[in-house]
Amino acid sequence: MITIEQLITRIEQRQPIINKAEIDAEQLRHEFSSIGSLTTADNKQLSFLADPHYISSLSRSQAGAVLITADYRDQVPETAVALVVASPYLAYASASQIFAQDSELNGIHPSAVIADSAVIGDQVYIGPFCVIGDHVQIGARSSLYAHVVVEANADIGHDCVIKSQVVIGHDSVIGSHVRLHAGVSVGAEGFGFAPTRDPSATGWERIAQLGRVVIGDHVRIGSQTCIDRGAIDDTVIGNHVIIDNLVQIAHNVRIGDGTAIAAQTAIAGSTSIGKRCIIGGAVGITGHIEITDDVTLSGMTMVTKSIKTAGSYSSGTAAMPTANWRRAAVRFRQLGRD
Amino acid sequence: MITIEQLITRIEQRQPIINKAEIDAEQLRHEFSSIGSLTTADNKQLSFLADPHYISSLSRSQAGAVLITADYRDQVPETAVALVVASPYLAYASASQIFAQDSELNGIHPSAVIADSAVIGDQVYIGPFCVIGDHVQIGARSSLYAHVVVEANADIGHDCVIKSQVVIGHDSVIGSHVRLHAGVSVGAEGFGFAPTRDPSATGWERIAQLGRVVIGDHVRIGSQTCIDRGAIDDTVIGNHVIIDNLVQIAHNVRIGDGTAIAAQTAIAGSTSIGKRCIIGGAVGITGHIEITDDVTLSGMTMVTKSIKTAGSYSSGTAAMPTANWRRAAVRFRQLGRD
Amino acid sequence: MITIEQLITRIEQRQPIINKAEIDAEQLRHEFSSIGSLTTADNKQLSFLADPHYISSLSRSQAGAVLITADYRDQVPETAVALVVASPYLAYASASQIFAQDSELNGIHPSAVIADSAVIGDQVYIGPFCVIGDHVQIGARSSLYAHVVVEANADIGHDCVIKSQVVIGHDSVIGSHVRLHAGVSVGAEGFGFAPTRDPSATGWERIAQLGRVVIGDHVRIGSQTCIDRGAIDDTVIGNHVIIDNLVQIAHNVRIGDGTAIAAQTAIAGSTSIGKRCIIGGAVGITGHIEITDDVTLSGMTMVTKSIKTAGSYSSGTAAMPTANWRRAAVRFRQLGRD
C-alpha cells in the first residue's frame, strides 16, 4: 500500500503539488492500492482528471484522491483528497510507477553464456539463456531478461531494462536508462544491395553494413521494432526518443532528441528526423529526406519529400462506405488523366 | 492414411454430410494421404469445390473424393466420391486438421527453467529452454514449444498451442484452445508517456502499465503480433478472435468475439472493436474510438472516427501508373486549397 | 588492413577494373582499414562516386582510393587512386564485404539440443540454445546463431547465415547462401479459417496448413519478417529474392527470382509476384492476384488488382499541412456521392 505522502514525493520529482500545505496529516496517511479511472476507482485508488471531457464523472467519483488542475479543484467530492497540479496527466504518470510491481531481479542465471571478456557492472541481472559475446560491456543495475542475445563489442549503459528475446547486434552502443521490450532487434544488417542484373550471376550484391546503431539515454523501444545498423556511418537514435511496437528504422536513419514514433511506422534509409517530432502510427517516410524539428505527422501519413517547416502534416483519405469509396477512387483515378 | 469414414466423422462435427446414406461400404474404406486442388489432386487426395469459379476444373479432376454443394454434385466425375455438404469450404477446413502431422510432444524438457510455484497441468508439454515464472498456471494438454517465456502470475488455459519464442508478460490471462504462433508478444508494456517538455529534464514521463492482457478461448494470434498490457484497465481479446501476423494491438484495446484481423493492421490505444468484424490487412485504426459489430474494413483502410453502422468501409486510392498518379496526387493536393 | 590488390581481386568477381593496367605496384600495396564517404574518408579509407550528385565532394576528398566511372576519373584528386569501373556502387558493395568483421564461428555449442536424426554438414556452426528437430538437414558451412529453432524435417542448404532467434517451421526448404536476420519466422501456419457462424459453436474453423515454405538460393530475409507455410501447395520464394524487415508474406504467395521487397510490406495469400520486381516499403498487395515481371511499386502503394504490364505504379496522396488535408479529404469524400 502506498500513502499520499509517498505519492506526493514521487510526483514532486516532476512538478509541485500546488495545494500541498492544505493536506492534513490524516490525509497524508491515506493508503492506496492502485490507480483507477474516475468512474471505477474506489477509496483505495488514486484517480485523475487529465481531460475536461470527463468532468461529468468527477462529482460522483469514489476515488480516494484525485489529481486535478486548479480550475476544477472545487468540483472534487468531499470523500476524495484533491491533489492540485499543473499537469494531472504527468502526475498520474509519475504516480503510476510506484504501483508497478517490478519483479525483484538479482544475479546472473547459471544458464547464461557469457564471454570471459565481457565486462558486467554491479547489480546487473542476466536472466536464463542469455548469450553475451566477447568484449560486451553492461553498465550497473541493468537487467537483461530471459533469452537476450548481445553480440560482440556491444556497449550497454546503466539502469537499462532489456526484456526477453531482444537481439543486440555487434558493436551497438546503447545509452543508460534505456528500455527495450520483448523481441526488439537492434543492429541487424541494413537492407543494402547493389543490383548486378548479370543474367549469369546473382541479382544483387550485398553491401556489408559497416556502421553501428548508437542509441542515446532514456530511450524506449517497443516489441518487435527493428533498428538496423548503418552502411558506412551509424544509425543514430537521440536521447529521450520513444518508439512503439513493430516500427522499422532503416540503416543510417537519424532521430532527434525527444521524438515519439507510434506503431507500424516505417522510416527508410538515410532519412533524418528532427527533435520533438510526434509521428503517428503506420506512417511511411521515404529515404534520404529530412524532417525538421517539431513536426507532427498524423497516422498513416505518406511522406515523400523533406519537411522544412514545423507543424502538423497528414495525407490519405478516411474510411467511407465501400460503395461510395469505389466511386471516389474511380474519380481520383480520372484526375490522373492527361 | 485416412479413410472417407474418418473424414466424414470429423466433418460432421460441424455439418452433416447430406448424401451419407448413399455412400457405400467400399467407398467408405477408400484411403487418402492428403488434400489437393481439383486440378492437381490424385486418387489418394481429397478435393473440394468451394468457389463456383473453379467449376470448369471439376469434370477432369482425378481426386478420390470431392466436397461439394448439392447444386454441383451431378458434375462430379464417376471416379470420385461426392461428399455433399452445405459448406464445402468449412468441410475442407474440418478435414484438413486430420492430415496435419502434429508432432508428438510429451513431457517437460530438462533444460526448461520452471519456478517452483508454477502449477503445470496434466499432459502439458514444455520444450527446451522455456522459462516459466513464479505462480504461473498452465492448463492441461497445453504445449509450449522451445524458448517460450511466461512471466510471473500469467494464467494459460488448457489445450493451448504456444509456438517457439512467444513471450507472455506477467499477469496475462490466456483462455483455452488458444494458438500463439512464433514470436508473439503478449503483455508487453503499453506505449504510454506523459510529455514533460522540461528543457532540463526528460522529454517523456513513462506511464507504468498496471493493467493486464486478457485473451478469451479459441483465439489465434499470428507470428510477431504484439498485444500490449493495459494502462489501468485491461486489454481484452474476446473468444474466437483470429489475428494474423505482425498486427499491433495497443493498450486497452477491446476486440469482440469472432472478429478477424489480417496482417500488418494497427489498432491504437483504447479503441473498441465489435463482434464478428472482418478487418483487412494493413488497416490503421486510430485510438479512443468505437467500431460497432459486423463491420468489414477492406485492406489499408484508414479509420479516424467511430463507425456506428454495420457494413463495409474502405479508403485510399488504388495503384495506377506512376506518371498518372503524380498528376492525380497534385490535383488531390489542389482540393485542399482554401 | 586490406590492400588495393585485395580489393581489386574481390571487385573483379563482378566487373573488371577498367584502368587496372595503370595502377602501379606501390599503389597496389596501399592499405585500407575501412570505407568512407567522399567527404569523411581519410587516406586509409576507400570511397566511391556512385551518384553524380556528389561530384562536388570529389575534388576535396581525402580518400585513399575512389571507385568511379570513366566519365569522372579525371576529377579524382592526385592523393587518391582512381579505380575505374562501370558501376562504382556495385564495386563498393563487393568491396564492403571484405571489411565486414564476421566473427569466427566454429563448432556446435554444447547447450544446443539437436535431434539424433538430424544431419549436420561439415563446418556448420550451431550457437548456444539452438534447437534442431528430427530429420533436419543443414548443409556445409551454414551458421546458426544463438536461439535458432529448426523444426522437424526442415532442410537448410549450405553457406547459410541464420541469425539469432529465427524460427524455421517443420518441413521448410531453404536453399544455399541464404541469410535470415534476427527474429525471422519461416513456415508458421498460414492464416486460413472457414467461417462457421454457428451461434452455438466456434466462429472459425481452422484450416490446417499442409503446404511448406520453399526458399531458393541467395535469398535475404530481414528481421521479424514472416513467411507462412502454404495451405495445400507451397509458399515459394525464388532465387536472389531480397526482403527487408517486418514484411508479411502470406500462405501460398509466390515471388519470382530477383525481386526486392522493402520493409513493412504485406502480401496477402495466394498472390504471385513476378521476377525482378522492386516493391517499396509499406506496400499492400491483396490476395489471389498476379503481378507480372519487372513491376516497380512505390512506397505505400495499395494494389487491389492484378498488374499485367511491366512498369512503375503508385497510389495514395502525399503529406500536406493538416488543415489543407482536411479540406482535400472532405472533397475526396464528396467524389463518392451518387
Side-chain angles (χ1 to χ4, degrees), chain C residues 65-198:
Chain C
V66 177
L67 298 160
I68 199 153
T69 56
D71 293 348
Y72 299 103
R73 66 175 298 181
D74 294 342
Q75 300 181 46
V76 173
E78 290 195 6
T79 52
V81 179
L83 297 171
V84 182
V85 290
S87 169
Y89 194 63
L90 177 58
Y92 150 57
S94 300
S96 73
Q97 297 174 30
I98 301 186
F99 293 104
Q101 296 171 10
D102 283 335
S103 34
E104 285 176 42
L105 299 169
N106 290 301
I108 293 177
H109 195 276
S111 64
V113 173
I114 302 177
D116 291 341
S117 56
V119 179
I120 311 296
D122 288 343
Q123 300 179 63
V124 164
Y125 169 71
I126 297 182
F129 310 121
C130 287
V131 179
I132 312 295
D134 287 326
H135 306 293
V136 166
Q137 299 197 51
I138 302 177
R141 296 174 304 281
S142 287
S143 297
L144 281 66
Y145 284 63
H147 294 147
V148 172
V149 176
V150 186
E151 294 184 354
N153 305 312
D155 187 341
I156 298 172
H158 57 81
D159 296 291
C160 292
V161 175
I162 300 180
K163 299 287 297 194
S164 296
Q165 296 175 353
V166 169
V167 179
I168 298 174
H170 64 84
D171 297 289
S172 298
V173 177
I174 293 176
S176 294
H177 299 281
V178 169
R179 299 177 81 91
L180 306 183
H181 288 285
V184 162
S185 168
V186 168
E189 185 170 89
F191 190 58
F193 290 84
T196 64
R197 294 295 157 90
D198 171 357

Side-chain angles (χ1 to χ4, degrees), chain A:
Chain A
M1 298 292 276
I2 308 293
T3 64
I4 286 193
E5 193 161 18
Q6 290 171 299
L7 289 171
I8 288 173
T9 301
R10 179 64 187 81
I11 291 165
E12 290 206 318
Q13 290 176 16
R14 293 283 184 215
Q15 59 181 329
I17 306 285
I18 294 166
N19 66 330
K20 190 165 63 167
E22 300 163 27
I23 302 172
D24 67 31
E26 190 187 329
Q27 289 175 322
L28 287 174
R29 286 192 299 273
H30 191 97
E31 289 186 325
F32 294 85
S33 60
S34 65
I35 298 180
S37 66
L38 287 172
T39 49
T40 66
D42 64 25
N43 186 253
K44 295 293 179 201
Q45 288 180 304
L46 172 70
S47 195
F48 60 97
L49 180 71
D51 179 343
H53 267 102
Y54 297 103
I55 184 68
S56 65
S57 305
L58 180 60
S59 62
R60 282 159 293 145
S61 180
Q62 308 287 316
V66 177
L67 298 160
I68 199 154
T69 56
D71 293 349
Y72 299 102
R73 65 176 298 184
D74 293 344
Q75 299 181 48
V76 173
E78 290 195 5
T79 51
V81 180
L83 296 170
V84 181
V85 290
S87 170
Y89 194 63
L90 177 58
Y92 149 58
S94 299
S96 73
Q97 296 175 31
I98 301 185
F99 292 105
Q101 297 171 11
D102 283 335
S103 35
E104 286 176 42
L105 299 169
N106 290 300
I108 293 177
H109 196 276
S111 64
V113 172
I114 302 177
D116 291 341
S117 56
V119 179
I120 311 295
D122 288 342
Q123 299 179 63
V124 164
Y125 169 71
I126 298 182
F129 311 121
C130 287
V131 178
I132 312 295
D134 286 326
H135 306 291
V136 166
Q137 299 196 51
I138 302 178
R141 297 174 302 282
S142 286
S143 297
L144 281 66
Y145 284 62
H147 294 145
V148 172
V149 176
V150 185
E151 294 184 353
N153 306 311
D155 186 340
I156 298 172
H158 57 81
D159 296 292
C160 292
V161 175
I162 300 180
K163 299 287 295 194
S164 297
Q165 295 174 354
V166 169
V167 179
I168 297 174
H170 64 85
D171 297 288
S172 298
V173 176
I174 293 177
S176 294
H177 299 281
V178 168
R179 299 176 80 91
L180 306 182
H181 288 285
V184 162
S185 168
V186 168
E189 184 169 271
F191 189 59
F193 290 85
T196 64
R197 295 295 158 89
D198 171 356
S200 70
T202 69
W204 301 96
E205 178 92 326
R206 168 179 163 245
I207 298 172
Q209 304 287 300
L210 306 172
R212 303 170 301 169
V213 172
V214 178
I215 293 177
D217 296 331
H218 298 283
V219 169
R220 185 271 197 199
I221 301 177
S223 286
Q224 321 292 21
T225 284
C226 298
I227 304 180
D228 281 352
R229 65 174 56 251
I232 294 175
D233 300 322
D234 298 329
T235 304
V236 180
I237 311 295
N239 298 316
H240 301 297
V241 170
I242 55 173
I243 303 178
D244 200 354
N245 301 336
L246 292 162
V247 170
Q248 159 71 355
I249 310 281
H251 51 179
N252 297 105
V253 166
R254 301 178 75 89
I255 298 182
D257 293 353
T259 283
I261 303 175
Q264 297 276 21
T265 283
I267 304 175
S270 300
T271 279
S272 183
I273 312 274
K275 296 176 181 175
R276 298 175 302 276
C277 294
I278 306 286
I279 300 179
V283 166
I285 303 177
T286 196
H288 296 274
I289 66 169
E290 289 189 30
I291 294 179
T292 191
D293 297 342
D294 299 300
V295 166
T296 294
L297 300 172
S298 61
M300 298 184 88
T301 295
M302 174 166 83
V303 182
T304 59
K305 292 180 181 170
S306 291
I307 295 179
K308 296 175 181 172
T309 307
S312 178
Y313 296 81
S314 304
S315 75
T317 64
M320 63 178 92
T322 297
N324 295 5
W325 168 76
R326 283 191 207 285
R327 283 191 292 270
V330 165
R331 287 166 189 168
F332 179 83
R333 183 178 292 274
Q334 291 165 346
L335 294 179
R337 289 197 188 140
D338 273 328

Side-chain angles (χ1 to χ4, degrees), chain C residues 121-324:
Chain C
D122 288 343
Q123 300 179 63
V124 164
Y125 169 71
I126 297 182
F129 310 121
C130 287
V131 179
I132 312 295
D134 287 326
H135 306 293
V136 166
Q137 299 197 51
I138 302 177
R141 296 174 304 281
S142 287
S143 297
L144 281 66
Y145 284 63
H147 294 147
V148 172
V149 176
V150 186
E151 294 184 354
N153 305 312
D155 187 341
I156 298 172
H158 57 81
D159 296 291
C160 292
V161 175
I162 300 180
K163 299 287 297 194
S164 296
Q165 296 175 353
V166 169
V167 179
I168 298 174
H170 64 84
D171 297 289
S172 298
V173 177
I174 293 176
S176 294
H177 299 281
V178 169
R179 299 177 81 91
L180 306 183
H181 288 285
V184 162
S185 168
V186 168
E189 185 170 89
F191 190 58
F193 290 84
T196 64
R197 294 295 157 90
D198 171 357
S200 72
T202 68
W204 301 97
E205 177 93 327
R206 168 179 162 245
I207 298 171
Q209 304 287 300
L210 306 173
R212 304 171 299 168
V213 171
V214 177
I215 293 176
D217 296 331
H218 298 282
V219 169
R220 185 273 195 196
I221 300 176
S223 286
Q224 321 291 22
T225 284
C226 298
I227 303 180
D228 281 353
R229 66 174 57 252
I232 293 175
D233 299 322
D234 298 328
T235 303
V236 180
I237 311 295
N239 298 317
H240 302 297
V241 170
I242 56 174
I243 303 177
D244 200 352
N245 300 336
L246 291 160
V247 170
Q248 160 70 357
I249 310 280
H251 51 179
N252 298 106
V253 166
R254 301 178 75 89
I255 298 181
D257 292 354
T259 284
I261 302 175
Q264 297 277 21
T265 283
I267 305 176
S270 300
T271 279
S272 183
I273 312 273
K275 297 177 182 175
R276 297 174 302 277
C277 293
I278 306 286
I279 299 179
V283 166
I285 303 177
T286 197
H288 296 274
I289 65 169
E290 288 189 30
I291 294 179
T292 192
D293 297 342
D294 300 300
V295 166
T296 295
L297 299 173
S298 61
M300 298 184 87
T301 295
M302 174 166 82
V303 182
T304 58
K305 292 180 181 170
S306 290
I307 295 179
K308 295 175 182 172
T309 307
S312 178
Y313 296 81
S314 304
S315 75
T317 65
M320 63 177 93
T322 297
N324 295 4

Side-chain angles (χ1 to χ4, degrees), chain A residues 263-264 281-282, chain B residues 246-250 261-268 282-286:
Chain A
Q264 297 276 21
Chain B
L246 292 162
V247 170
Q248 158 70 356
I249 310 281
I261 302 175
Q264 296 276 20
T265 283
I267 304 175
V283 166
I285 302 177
T286 197

Side-chain angles (χ1 to χ4, degrees), chain B residues 234-316:
Chain B
D234 298 328
T235 304
V236 180
I237 310 295
N239 299 317
H240 302 297
V241 170
I242 55 174
I243 302 177
D244 200 354
N245 300 337
L246 292 162
V247 170
Q248 158 70 356
I249 310 281
H251 51 179
N252 297 106
V253 165
R254 301 178 76 88
I255 299 181
D257 293 354
T259 284
I261 302 175
Q264 296 276 20
T265 283
I267 304 175
S270 299
T271 279
S272 183
I273 312 273
K275 296 176 182 175
R276 297 174 303 274
C277 294
I278 305 286
I279 299 178
V283 166
I285 302 177
T286 197
H288 296 274
I289 65 170
E290 288 189 32
I291 294 179
T292 192
D293 298 342
D294 299 300
V295 166
T296 294
L297 300 172
S298 61
M300 298 183 89
T301 295
M302 175 165 82
V303 182
T304 59
K305 292 180 181 170
S306 290
I307 295 178
K308 296 174 181 172
T309 307
S312 178
Y313 296 82
S314 304
S315 76

Side-chain angles (χ1 to χ4, degrees), chain B residues 128-167:
Chain B
F129 310 120
C130 286
V131 179
I132 312 295
D134 286 326
H135 306 292
V136 166
Q137 298 196 53
I138 302 177
R141 296 174 304 279
S142 286
S143 296
L144 281 65
Y145 285 62
H147 294 148
V148 172
V149 176
V150 186
E151 294 184 354
N153 305 310
D155 187 339
I156 299 171
H158 58 81
D159 296 291
C160 293
V161 175
I162 300 180
K163 299 288 294 194
S164 297
Q165 297 175 352
V166 169
V167 179

